[in-house]
Amino acid sequence: MAAQQMEKGTFPPLFDVGSVWRTLWQRRLAVLASVGVAVLLAALYLAVTKPTYTATASILIDPRDARSTRFESVLPGIGPDSAAVASQVFVIESRDLLMAVFESEGLAGDPEFADGGLLSFFGSGGTGKDAAFKRFEKRISVERAGLTYVIEVSVKSEAADKAARIANAIVDYYKAGLAGDRESANSDVSALLADRVGTLQRNVAEAERTAGDFKVRHGLLDPAAGGTLQSQIDQLTVQVIAARAGADQAKDKYDQAAAAGASPAGLARLSQIVSSDAIDTLRTDYNQRAAALASAETVYQSRHPTIRRLRSELEKTAGLMAAEAGRIQQELNAKHDLSKQTVAALEAKLETLREKSRAADAARVELRRLEATAQAARTVLDDVLKRAEETSQMRGLQFSEAKVIGFAAPPVQPTWPTPLLLLPVSAALGLLVGCGIAILRGPVERAERNPGPEPDEAVVTPRRLVPRSDAVPISLGRYELPGLASAGAASRIRAMRRRFLQRGGEAFSQETLKLVRRILALLTEHAPPYVLLVSPLRNGPDAKLAGAMIGIGLQQAGQNVLVIELSDTAPELGAGVFINGASGLPTLVRAFGGEKGRRTPFALGAGLADTGDYDFVLLLGPPLSDADWDAALFSDVECMLFVLDAADDAAEANGLLRQRLGNEGTARRATLVLAPERAAGAANDTIVRWRGSMR
């Protein structure tokens, strides 16, 4: 790892304000000269530069369209959207509009625009009308005022009245252009509609004639005139129904007559079906003769002539009855056949009418299409005629949506150059340039200084002049640890570890990682492990707390850390490496070799074969106030960290360190102060505060 270059344990300032101020004070004459030159140049510029006046005219683009009639405009207004209003800025800046103003005002021969100045002298400014127009165009500025409907037209000129005249001319041309566009649009549309009217009228006449011819050709009558196919179909349908009912009735009578037969009893049933005077007469005659025969049989024998006569008459009457029954059956059969023929004829006629109706329906569909075409042509013709009349009446009735809300007036004061702006700005720029030059040249060497010491020189003593006997260890600052001061070391270490892992402890973690980086800067890069000694100033838990904080910080940085606690009471080699329940770090407890006063120097490899598995070894040594404490016992240690309590006096601690260690190797010694947390539970949760007490 690269060791950070540090001087007596302090970080060099990013920006030394005192050194910069001394340099500027030493070079003050050069700075003042730079300011004077800048102001002089600004004054010369003011003296030779012609004043420029700016005149501004304001236009309101009013999206509301004043309607004098209910007619719709051919060319509507610009519209209320932001893009439409912003587009008018480019319309005003267009070459055609500005060229019209340029020519109408006769600016091609104006010396202000025709003369290119120094540029024309060198041949790069250009001459002629195009060059003059380009210079004129650069003097025009058109801007929209924020997100409003107001457009400001500004013109710069050497003459105040000329600037106002040109600005008003641009506005007038713009308004005239809008009105001309509307009138031109009305004229064009009117001419186009007039050309289309004749064609549309011919189309309407042709469509109506086609529909009429089709109606006559297919015999499609008007429903209001009567005699339509549908009415004929309805009438014939009624007749068919009646004929079918008559045929069914005739068939029923014939079937009943056939079932009755020609016997006297059947003739009686037949008389119930069909009314006939002949049947009634024959039945009466038959009944009288039967009664006479029955009466004669009671008087005479069967061979009596009277009986024979009566029987012969009775048989003759029965024959007549049978003949009448047959005649009636034939009559009923004939009526049935006639009814069937009538039904068939009516049904055939009905089917013929239906075929005609279907053909007429198809013709009506085509007729409706032709009539719709004619109606559409009439509608278009009506719309065109109406629109043509409206357009012809709209001439001269449309108002421009551009309103001048502020005419350009000749300005009283020039807009450029302004002495009140140029002189302060030039002085400020000269000051900045002079300061930059002074800082680049650096401080004045002693040979260049004026006689006599600088004001700050008597009180400033460079650190490199500190006597060697006054060398003190590097101070790593003050750190406040979470947990109660009255609690044990294990409890405070657990609180510290929780602060590392829980949300809201980012400040404590960052400050601890900063401490780790400062410690790494004291080490010389080589193969791991790196051995660090952590010793308290006096007896107490400070070494364990500091070792746990540094070890957890190294572990959070991705390093493998081993903590070795040196103890007089622990057995030789302890019980092996174990995970400390409070800090979560691999820990080993080792005993000092030898008796007090004759201790064996600490050796990392003694009794520990796997030290190569660790990146850092934190050695928790005895307190510095111990009479047997000797730096020679820790020859393998690369950096010694001494932990002070908040109540310890720094001067006393430094004196004790010089007494124990001397002045050699101060770059590998550092002190840090541990204090209990004073703002536990505060809202900002700033636990560790680096006091910046680096010396």
Side-chain angles (χ1 to χ4, degrees):
M1 68 186 70
Q4 219 174 6
Q5 298 297 328
M6 308 173 68
E7 184 180 350
K8 299 187 67 176
T10 61
F11 289 106
L14 296 177
F15 184 74
D16 193 349
V17 179
S19 176
V20 173
W21 172 251
R22 285 192 297 272
T23 300
L24 295 178
W25 179 256
Q26 294 167 7
R27 303 284 185 180
R28 59 187 178 276
L29 295 179
V31 174
L32 293 177
S34 176
V35 174
V37 171
V39 173
L40 180 60
L41 291 176
L44 291 175
Y45 178 79
L46 291 173
V48 301
T49 302
K50 293 182 180 180
T52 301
Y53 296 89
T54 302
T56 302
S58 299
I59 305 173
L60 174 63
I61 305 298
D62 193 353
R64 300 171 299 176
D65 195 3
R67 296 290 181 87
S68 56
T69 64
R70 299 183 62 184
F71 299 156
E72 183 181 355
S73 301
V74 173
L75 185 64
I78 293 173
D81 61 309
S82 180
V85 177
S87 299
Q88 299 307 304
V89 174
F90 295 94
V91 173
I92 299 175
E93 290 179 333
S94 64
R95 180 181 177 86
D96 293 341
L97 191 148
L98 294 182
M99 180 61 76
V101 176
F102 182 77
E103 293 177 350
S104 65
E105 295 295 325
L107 300 178
D110 194 319
E112 181 180 352
F113 304 107
D115 186 8
L118 293 177
L119 294 178
S120 62
F121 178 77
F122 290 105
S124 59
T127 58
K129 183 178 178 180
D130 291 339
F133 178 75
K134 289 182 180 179
R135 299 187 191 98
F136 166 75
E137 200 173 20
K138 292 179 180 178
R139 300 294 185 93
I140 308 300
S141 175
V142 183
E143 295 180 353
R144 181 184 180 188
L147 296 178
T148 64
Y149 297 122
V150 177
I151 297 177
E152 295 180 347
V153 181
S154 301
V155 179
K156 295 180 180 180
S157 177
E158 297 175 357
D161 56 347
K162 186 195 300 182
R165 187 179 74 253
I166 295 174
N168 292 328
I170 293 175
V171 170
D172 292 339
Y173 268 85
Y174 172 67
K175 289 185 59 182
L178 290 180
D181 290 342
R182 287 197 169 191
E183 291 300 327
S184 176
N186 285 337
S187 300
D188 294 341
V189 171
S190 297
L192 179 62
L193 293 178
D195 293 339
R196 295 292 297 172
V197 166
T199 303
L200 292 175
Q201 289 176 343
R202 289 192 296 271
N203 292 340
V204 171
E206 182 66 23
E208 290 180 347
R209 184 169 55 255
T210 301
D213 294 344
F214 184 84
K215 185 186 297 184
V216 172
R217 186 168 59 255
H218 290 81
L220 299 176
L221 302 178
D222 188 0
T228 61
L229 285 176
Q230 186 61 43
S231 62
Q232 296 178 14
I233 291 173
D234 294 340
Q235 295 175 3
L236 194 58
T237 301
V238 174
Q239 295 177 8
V240 169
I241 294 173
R244 286 176 179 174
D248 293 340
Q249 186 176 7
K251 184 176 184 302
D252 291 341
K253 288 183 178 181
Y254 173 75
D255 292 341
Q256 292 177 2
S263 63
L267 198 62
R269 290 194 300 272
L270 187 62
S271 64
Q272 296 177 359
I273 299 172
V274 180
S275 297
S276 176
D277 295 338
I279 292 177
D280 294 338
T281 302
L282 290 174
R283 287 183 59 198
T284 302
D285 188 27
Y286 181 82
N287 291 333
Q288 291 176 356
R289 293 183 185 281
L293 177 61
S295 177
E297 286 180 348
T298 58
V299 176
Y300 303 106
Q301 296 294 325
S302 59
R303 292 184 175 184
H304 191 273
T306 302
I307 296 299
R308 290 180 177 178
R309 180 180 58 81
L310 290 174
R311 285 181 178 174
S312 175
E313 291 177 355
L314 185 61
E315 290 177 357
K316 184 179 180 180
T317 301
L320 292 174
M321 292 177 65
E324 182 65 18
R327 186 191 65 79
I328 291 175
Q329 289 179 2
Q330 291 177 359
E331 182 181 356
L332 291 177
N333 189 19
K335 288 183 178 181
H336 174 248
D337 292 340
L338 182 60
S339 297
K340 289 174 61 178
Q341 293 175 1
T342 303
V343 170
L346 291 175
E347 287 180 348
K349 187 176 181 180
L350 180 61
E351 184 63 26
T352 302
L353 290 178
R354 285 176 177 174
E355 290 293 335
K356 291 182 179 180
S357 177
R358 284 191 286 269
D361 290 340
R364 286 192 189 94
V365 172
E366 181 64 19
L367 178 62
R368 283 195 295 269
R369 187 186 67 80
L370 295 176
E371 290 177 344
T373 302
Q375 181 62 32
R378 283 194 298 271
T379 302
V380 173
L381 177 61
D382 293 341
D383 291 342
V384 171
L385 290 174
K386 180 180 177 182
R387 188 55 176 163
E389 183 64 23
E390 290 179 355
T391 304
S392 64
Q393 296 298 327
M394 284 294 292
R395 295 179 181 177
L397 295 180
Q398 298 186 85
F399 300 94
S400 175
E401 64 272 18
K403 301 177 182 179
V404 180
I405 59 176
F407 287 96
V412 179
Q413 297 292 334
T415 55
W416 187 261
T418 54
L420 295 179
L421 175 64
L422 280 178
L423 293 178
V425 170
S426 62
L429 291 176
L431 180 62
L432 292 176
V433 172
C435 293
I437 293 174
I439 293 174
L440 290 176
R441 293 180 63 185
V444 180
E445 299 295 334
R446 287 191 177 272
E448 300 179 0
R449 293 184 184 176
N450 295 327
E454 293 292 338
D456 298 336
E457 193 173 352
V459 297
V460 177
T461 303
R463 292 187 177 183
R464 61 177 179 271
L465 299 179
V466 176
R468 188 175 182 82
S469 59
D470 294 339
V472 295
I474 298 170
S475 175
L476 298 180
R478 174 191 175 102
Y479 298 86
E480 296 180 2
L481 302 183
L484 299 176
S486 59
S491 178
R492 297 183 66 182
I493 291 173
R494 289 191 184 94
M496 186 192 313
R497 187 180 179 191
R498 285 195 300 271
R499 187 63 57 84
F500 262 105
L501 300 178
Q502 70 184 6
R503 179 179 296 179
E506 291 82 2
F508 181 73
S509 302
Q510 291 176 1
E511 291 299 329
T512 304
L513 293 177
K514 289 180 181 178
L515 172 62
V516 169
R517 286 196 293 270
R518 296 186 194 109
I519 294 173
L520 296 180
L522 304 177
L523 304 178
T524 302
E525 188 171 358
H526 62 79
Y530 298 90
V531 183
L532 308 179
L533 174 65
V534 182
S535 289
L537 190 64
R538 295 180 179 84
N539 285 323
D542 292 342
K544 291 185 178 180
L545 295 175
M549 180 174 65
I550 297 171
I552 294 174
L554 288 170
Q555 192 178 62
Q556 292 296 318
Q559 304 296 319
N560 294 325
V561 183
L562 174 65
V563 179
I564 299 180
E565 297 181 7
L566 296 179
S567 174
D568 291 331
T569 59
E572 184 66 24
L573 298 181
V577 178
F578 63 94
I579 301 300
N580 191 301
S583 64
L585 299 172
T587 306
L588 176 66
V589 179
R590 291 185 57 176
F592 273 116
E595 300 176 357
K596 285 189 177 183
R598 292 181 296 177
R599 289 175 173 170
T600 304
F602 171 78
L604 180 62
L608 187 63
D610 54 351
T611 55
D613 296 339
Y614 300 97
D615 299 316
F616 289 88
V617 175
L618 298 180
L619 185 63
L620 306 185
L624 189 64
S625 60
D626 194 344
D628 293 338
W629 199 96
D630 188 0
L633 297 175
F634 310 105
S635 57
D636 291 346
V637 172
E638 300 179 53
C639 181
M640 296 183 180
L641 306 177
F642 299 98
V643 186
L644 280 65
D645 190 78
D648 292 336
D649 186 10
E652 180 182 353
N654 290 334
L656 182 59
L657 287 171
R658 284 195 297 271
Q659 178 183 355
R660 294 286 188 179
L661 302 173
N663 291 328
E664 297 295 334
T666 55
R668 295 295 183 265
R669 305 173 195 168
T671 61
L672 65 154
V673 180
L674 297 184
E677 182 180 12
R678 294 186 299 174
N684 59 359
D685 197 24
T686 304
I687 305 304
V688 180
R689 299 173 180 85
W690 184 38
R691 300 295 182 180
S693 58
M694 310 283 282
R695 295 182 177 86

